[in-house]
Structure formats: structure tokens, C-alpha cells
Amino acid sequence: MPSSSGRVPLIAALLLALAAALTVALVPAGLALDRRVDDVLRRTAIEDLGRAPMILDDRNAARAEALSMHAQSVAGADGLAEAIVAGRTEEAIATATATAAMYDEEPVLVGPDGSRIVGPEVPAGALDEVRRGGTPVLYVFDDGMPRTLALAPLDAESGWMGAAGTSSPMDATLATTLAALARADVTMIGADGSLIASTLDPDSVSAPELVTAVVEGRSNPVSEQVSEVVTDRGPTWVAVSPVAGAGTVVFSRSVDEELAALPGVRRSALIAGLLTLVLALGVGLVVAGSLARPVRGLAAASARLAEGDFAAPVPVSTIDEVDRLGRSFESMRTSLQARIAELADANEALEDRQERLHSLQAELIRQDRLASSARMAAELAHEIRNPVANVRNCLEVVRRGLPADSEGLSFADMAIDELLRMHELAEQLLDLNRPVSAEIGDCDPADVARNVATLAAMGDETVAVDVHAPTDSLRVPMPPDALKQILFNLVDNAREAAGDEEPVEIRIEGGDQTVTLDVADRGPGIDPAIAARLFDPFFTTKDAVTGVGLGLFVAEGLARRYGGHMSAASRPDPPGAVFRVVLPLARTST
Ligand code: ADP
């Protein structure tokens, strides 16, 4: 069926082509066949009818011999000649009648003087022939009826005594017999042109009409023996056979009846043609289906390809062209699949790189922010360090003047301590921005870590700082004091987060280019909400007394100053926080 877009499915196109080809082939063939059948039917019927007069002649010849014998039999009948000679006419007639009846014929008797005793009038010529000893068989027209007449000389010792024989009418019985022999209708016309007998069906052609047409010679010849007579009931083929002296026998066949088989043949041919078409279309459907199937498979595969399904294989076909198409399609599919896989890999790599770029960018931004914060903090520290030292010196002078156990002395001590702390803080901040000298030296992080562990436990025995370090000595390009300060800050925070009872771990591991120091505690871990701000200056979650928010800022600043960096994360087991310091391996380290 044509689709709405005007395109036709392959199977329908193939069937349409097949149907068109068959129609083009079948219609002229059918028309030619029809003409040929019509022609053959006409010719056969005409030839058949043309042989009818010969059949009549043959039949008459055979009949003549029989009639001649009948005549001789009557002429030789016992006592017939004697009865004629003796003038016993009645007896003679009875004898002749009895003998002729044996042949279902009527008697013919002619006296010695040539006069008729019984039977039709005998032509003089025939009588002469009998007189000469002949046994003629002839046709006569007697009393409006044609008859066959057979004569033989009467068998008498005294010479010519007359003739005897038989006669029979050429009537409807003969017409029926002839009709059966010639397989045609027979119409017998008398010598006077009258209708004698006919086997014609009165419903088809009226015998008188035919007789009139034949007698008037209204016919067109269609062959040597046959001509066509057209009456009101349609055309009729006739073969006319004159019977000497008796009239004419007309053999006829109705053209319509002879060609009556034609519509049936046409119908059969049409049905056969349609059946052939249906059968061919059925077979065509199967063949077209097997032709269209691989093409449909190819179309489905290309549709899947268009939808992005590159894994679906293209079906193979036994049809060479389709198979070649399928193979080129398949190689196109596999190369596309390979290209897409390559693209996917490249895309993945790109995404990975982009992700790393993002985190690198974020890290750069963070470091930049920290660096500028550190610079600002250092400038601030530089500005306040001297005034703080001056205030502290002044306070020392004031303190010395105070009585030993006065309340003022203790306040002065407290103030001096706070000022010391501020001074120390300022020093730390300044350290961050102090230019690195060419000789910064290096240290073993394991030694520094153990030192920090010992110092942390010194004031409080409940504190446990476990150091796990590789046996090989590692060195980092950093003064030991700087690393000590980093670790102190981290251990202090760990103790504050987890409590003094919980152990703190310092784990040191050496890599190809770096040394990693993890300081892990068993506290609450890193709150994700503050993770991004941990290393910011003055960021603290502690109260004003315990925290100023510079410990991690300073530690990170020191790590970065000596080529390293820091990060923080929570760990699940055991739960807690891990602060990681990554430092470069010193070039001199072994
Ligand atoms: P301070 O200790 O003065 O608050 P820090 O810079 O050392 O300043 O620490 C900043 C903040 O980081 C702390 O206030 C705390 O909230 C968080 N922090 C630091 N160390 C830990 C830790 N080990 N576990 C959980 N949170 C921590």
C-alpha cells in the first residue's frame, strides 16, 4: 500500500511489478488464444460440415448395393413371375409386398408392358436398364415425396416379364439417420422445393426459412462445400447435397451453437488466467517476502544506527547485491562504533582533565587567598609586634614596683603573659612571610614527630601521640622548627577535638617525590560545612579564650612556604579527622 508520503513498501512494489508483468503477458496471450479457439472451432465445424455430402454419397453407395440385393430378392420371390405371367396381379402384389416387408420396404412391380402394377412411377430410362438386365438404384420424386427405388428384372424363363423391386421414402427417419452420421442437422427439400423433413430444432432455425434461403440461393460461401445462410434466428452454415431426381439434402449447423463452447472456453481461460495471476502473486509474495526481508533487516539496522544503537549487527543475505550492501553497511557500523568508543574515551579523559583543572583552579584560588591573607597578617603582625613589646617592657617596669602578693601583681603577670602570647603570635605571622634563606636546611620528619610526641606528653601523662614512621630515613627541605610548629598545631587541635584521653597518630610515609605526614585523631571529624574555611585566618569554632583561628592558617602557610601543602578530611574507621601535610623530599635525602 502506498504510504501517506507516497512511498511504496518494497514487497508491494515487487508484487505490483509482477502483477503488471503478468497482465502485460497474459492479456495479449489470452486475446490470441481467444482468436485461435474461435478460429479452430469455426474451421473444425466448417470442415466437418463439408464432409457431410461425402458421407451422404458413401452412405448412398453402400445403401444402393443393399437395395439392389433387395430388389433382386423381390424379383426372385417364389411364384412372383408366374403370377405376373398368369395375370394374377393380386397374388403378385401380395408376394412382392411380403418379400419387401422383410426389408422394411415397399414393393415395386412393373408389368411386361412396362406399366406400373404397384409402387411409384418408374422412369423410362431405369426401365430400359432393367430390360437390359441391370439392377438400377435411383431416386424419384413421387407424390410430393422423394423415394429410393431399386429394380431388378423379373426372373422368368420366357425372357422379359417386367421388373420388381423395392422403394422406400426419404422421410424424417432418413433425415435422422443422416443427421446422426453427419453430426449435423439435416433438412430434405423435395424436387419441387418443398420441405420434406428436417431435424432442425424449430426453436433455433426454422426449416422453411432455411429452405427458402437455400432455394433462393441466399448464402455466402465460407469454404468449397459450405456456405453461410443468415436467417432471422442468426447465421447457419449449410452444405447442400443434391440427390438426383429426388431433391436436395441440406446439412446445417447453427453458427451460434457451434461457437457456443466459446464463452465457456473464454470463461475458463479467464478463470485460469486469474488463477495463474493469484498463484503467481502468491508465489511472488513468498519470493518478494524473501527478497524484501533482508532489505527490511538492513533498513531496521540503519534505523537502529540512526537512533544511536551501534551494537546491533547488520543481517546477512543470500542475495548478492543486498549482501554486498549489508557488508559495506556492517563495516561502516563497526568503524563508526570504534570511532564512537574512541570519542567516548577521549570525552572521559577530557572530563577527567577538566575535573582536575577545576580542583587545581580551586586550589590555586584558595592558595592565592591564603597567600594574600598571610601577607596581610604578616604586615599587621609587623605593625603590632613593636608596640606590644614596648607595652610588655612598660608592664615589666610597673610590675617590679608592685608589692609581692598584691592583686595588682597577679594582674600584671596575666597581662604580661597575654602580651607574650600576642608577641609570639606576631612572630609566627611574620615567619610566614619571611623570605626563605638560601640555606634553609632540612630535617627528618620522623625525628621531629617523635620530638613533638615527647613534648606533648610531657605536661600531661594521659596524652598519647603515636608515631608511625618508615625505618628508612627521610628528609624534607624545611627547618625542624617550622615542621615542629606545624605538628604542634595539629596535635593541639587533635587533643582539643578528641580529648586528652584519646590517642593521636602521626603516620609518615615516603613517596617518589614527597613525604606525607598524617595526623589523625578520634574526634568528631571535620564538619563539611566548615571544611572550605578551615585554613582561613581567624577562622575558629572555639571560644575566644581557647581559639584565635590561626593554628591551621599558620601551619598551612609554613607547609606552603617550604614547597608543600595541606588538606583535611574525616575518616570513617576509627572515626575522626585526618590532617595531611605533604612535603617535597629533600634532594639530599637518601
Ligand atoms: P583554633 O584552634 O584556634 O580554632 P585553628 O586554625 O587551629 O584555630 O583551627 C580552626 C578550626 O578548625 C577549629 O576552630 C576547629 O573548628 C577546626 N579544627 C581544627 N582541628 C580540628 C580537628 N582535629 N578536629 C576537628 N576540627 C578541627
Side-chain angles (χ1 to χ4, degrees):
M1 286 291 114
S3 65
S4 54
S5 60
R7 288 189 292 269
V8 181
L10 178 62
I11 194 162
L14 288 172
L15 285 181
L16 278 176
L18 182 65
L22 281 174
T23 309
V24 166
L26 282 179
V27 168
L31 290 175
L33 184 72
D34 181 62
R35 233 191 330 270
R36 176 111 181 95
V37 170
D38 182 277
D39 201 43
V40 167
L41 280 177
R42 283 172 188 273
R43 213 179 45 239
T44 313
I46 291 169
E47 280 174 4
D48 248 16
L49 192 61
R51 276 192 289 274
M54 287 186 279
I55 291 170
L56 178 64
D57 289 347
D58 290 348
R59 193 242 176 213
N60 282 349
R63 180 91 178 126
E65 278 179 35
L67 287 173
S68 175
M69 278 167 55
H70 298 171
Q72 284 171 29
S73 165
V74 173
D78 285 345
L80 180 64
E82 291 76 18
I84 296 277
V85 171
R88 297 194 301 274
T89 310
E90 293 297 315
E91 186 191 329
I93 291 173
T95 306
T97 302
T99 312
M102 280 165 34
Y103 308 111
D104 229 3
E105 288 164 10
E106 293 164 25
V108 178
L109 281 177
V110 177
D113 55 352
S115 62
R116 182 178 77 95
I117 299 170
V118 71
E121 202 66 55
V122 179
L127 214 52
D128 283 348
E129 196 181 336
V130 179
R131 222 181 246 123
R132 289 195 299 272
T135 54
V137 175
L138 63 157
Y139 303 97
V140 295
F141 191 66
D142 177 56
D143 203 12
M145 174 68 73
R147 303 188 76 91
T148 51
L149 184 62
L151 288 171
L154 267 175
D155 203 9
E157 292 162 4
S158 48
W160 166 252
M161 292 302 297
T166 62
S167 91
S168 54
M170 294 170 74
D171 56 8
T173 315
L174 178 65
T176 309
T177 309
L178 288 177
L181 279 173
R183 281 184 284 118
D185 280 310
V186 172
T187 301
M188 290 165 48
I189 305 173
D192 58 355
S194 61
L195 171 67
I196 305 301
S198 177
T199 59
L200 277 171
D201 180 356
D203 289 341
S204 55
V205 181
S206 102
E209 219 181 325
L210 186 71
V211 169
T212 312
V214 169
V215 169
E216 290 176 3
R218 279 192 280 112
S219 61
N220 301 315
V222 290
S223 79
E224 219 173 301
Q225 292 86 13
V226 180
S227 48
E228 189 173 297
V229 171
V230 181
T231 66
D232 288 348
R233 310 264 176 103
T236 305
W237 288 317
V238 294
V240 180
S241 183
V243 181
T248 309
V249 175
V250 178
F251 297 93
S252 66
R253 283 183 175 184
S254 158
V255 176
D256 290 345
E257 275 173 30
E258 287 308 310
L259 301 183
L262 208 53
V265 171
R266 276 189 192 133
R267 224 179 358 262
S268 304
L270 192 69
I271 290 169
L274 286 175
L275 281 178
T276 308
L277 194 67
V278 168
L279 201 71
L281 285 180
V283 173
L285 191 68
V286 174
V287 174
S290 68
L291 279 176
R293 202 171 307 119
V295 180
R296 269 207 306 269
L298 215 56
S302 69
R304 283 203 300 274
L305 212 64
E307 284 165 8
D309 179 7
F310 292 93
V314 177
V316 291
S317 167
T318 48
I319 300 161
D320 187 36
E321 285 80 356
V322 178
D323 191 53
R324 265 188 282 151
L325 186 64
R327 277 176 203 285
S328 15
F329 199 77
E330 176 67 12
S331 69
M332 187 179 80
R333 181 189 73 80
T334 44
S335 62
L336 264 176
Q337 194 176 22
R339 288 302 299 276
I340 281 175
E342 275 171 28
L343 275 177
D345 285 351
N347 204 28
E348 210 170 295
L350 207 65
E351 273 174 14
D352 202 38
R353 218 173 295 165
Q354 206 168 6
E355 208 170 297
R356 273 189 286 142
L357 201 67
H358 274 148
S359 62
L360 215 62
Q361 260 175 342
E363 178 63 17
L364 276 176
I365 290 168
R366 190 174 75 98
Q367 295 209 352
D368 191 49
R369 207 178 60 226
L370 287 175
S372 53
S373 302
R375 249 188 331 270
M376 198 187 73
E379 277 167 19
L380 204 66
H382 184 260
E383 290 304 317
I384 63 170
R385 188 182 56 167
N386 291 344
V388 166
N390 291 341
V391 172
R392 201 188 58 152
N393 289 341
C394 291
L395 262 177
E396 283 285 351
V397 175
V398 172
R399 181 184 174 278
R400 272 189 232 123
L402 289 173
D405 56 348
S406 71
E407 195 181 0
L409 188 66
S410 68
F411 279 133
D413 281 343
M414 274 169 65
I416 288 166
D417 280 354
E418 285 304 302
L419 286 172
L420 266 175
R421 209 159 73 83
M422 279 180 75
H423 189 264
E424 182 59 25
L425 200 64
E427 281 296 324
Q428 277 188 11
L429 290 175
L430 275 173
D431 275 351
L432 290 181
N433 258 22
R434 211 162 268 149
V436 184
S437 66
E439 280 300 317
I440 54 168
D442 56 26
C443 65
D444 182 342
D447 287 347
V448 177
R450 283 190 204 101
N451 200 339
V452 169
T454 312
L455 285 172
M458 207 171 267
D460 188 345
E461 282 171 14
T462 55
V463 176
V465 179
D466 303 326
V467 178
H468 305 276
T471 45
D472 291 350
S473 173
L474 299 166
R475 297 204 76 78
V476 292
M478 184 180 217
D481 280 352
L483 184 55
K484 196 186 287 180
Q485 184 157 3
I486 293 173
L487 292 179
F488 257 131
N489 286 358
L490 296 180
V491 169
D492 274 352
N493 278 345
R495 286 170 60 190
E496 280 173 20
D500 286 340
E501 296 78 23
E502 294 293 339
V504 179
E505 278 175 60
I506 302 177
R507 191 173 293 276
I508 302 168
E509 272 176 27
D512 278 350
Q513 311 278 330
T514 55
V515 176
T516 306
L517 293 95
D518 282 342
V519 179
D521 62 46
R522 298 187 179 188
I526 306 295
D527 180 357
I530 62 163
R533 293 151 63 205
L534 280 184
F535 297 99
D536 285 356
F538 305 110
F539 173 76
T540 180
T541 56
K542 298 167 193 169
D543 56 42
V545 180
T546 47
V548 287
L550 281 175
L552 288 178
F553 173 70
V554 169
E556 200 276 342
L558 286 172
R560 191 155 32 82
R561 182 178 167 84
Y562 294 103
H565 58 88
M566 274 187 70
S567 59
S570 291
R571 66 170 178 178
D573 190 27
V578 180
F579 282 80
R580 171 165 290 184
V581 184
V582 180
L583 297 170
L585 257 180
R587 289 211 193 100
T588 52
S589 67
T590 51

